[in-house]
Amino acid sequence: VQLVESGGGSAQPGGSLRLACAASGFTLDYYYIGWFRQAPGKERDFVAAISRSGGNTQYTDSVKGRFFISRDDAKNTVYLQMDSLKPEDTAVYYCAAHETFPSDEVSLFRGSYRYWGQGNQVTVSS
């Protein structure tokens, strides 16, 4: 069971990046997925989450209108599209998954998630 993130890197302020989280060894159909980020010296904070159905998405206030989470179960992958990037978005980004039955359940709390990816660095600077 493994989550593998990709798509991080560097961008200028105002630019865009798309992160991908691919599952290996299990299918994401029965999982809600979250993205978290951790800046140096800070705790790992919630960024966005998506339910099994995709019908329930949640975002932290600082990224609303700029970041968009989506899932493609056929590709066993969840995406985080990040637009209008700001220097304060710089962090290591982690995807996480937790098995659930309700199709519209999500969680904003990192303690709710069972599986975690290895993390992917995103740096926003001019």
Side-chain angles (χ1 to χ4, degrees), residues 6-113:
S6 62
S10 297
Q12 292 186 338
S16 297
L17 288 171
R18 188 177 77 159
L19 298 179
C21 174
S24 176
F26 68 107
T27 59
L28 290 176
D29 303 48
Y30 293 96
Y31 292 77
Y32 60 71
I33 309 298
W35 285 96
F36 293 77
R37 65 186 180 187
Q38 187 167 18
K42 296 187 177 181
E43 294 191 349
R44 191 173 300 185
D45 293 330
F46 171 77
V47 176
I50 189 167
S51 62
R52 280 182 56 198
S53 68
N56 184 8
T57 56
Q58 300 292 324
Y59 299 91
T60 192
D61 287 346
S62 63
V63 308
K64 286 181 180 177
R66 300 189 299 119
F67 288 14
F68 301 93
I69 189 171
S70 62
R71 63 190 300 154
D72 186 341
D73 288 343
K75 295 183 178 180
N76 218 24
T77 301
V78 173
Y79 302 96
L80 184 67
Q81 177 67 40
M82 304 184 293
D83 298 326
S84 301
L85 283 164
K86 302 177 180 180
E88 51 263 44
D89 295 320
T90 295
V92 177
Y93 283 71
Y94 299 86
C95 67
H98 191 78
E99 191 171 14
T100 184
F101 179 73
S103 62
D104 282 332
E105 181 182 17
V106 294
S107 176
L108 282 60
F109 303 103
R110 64 176 187 260
S112 300
Y113 289 83

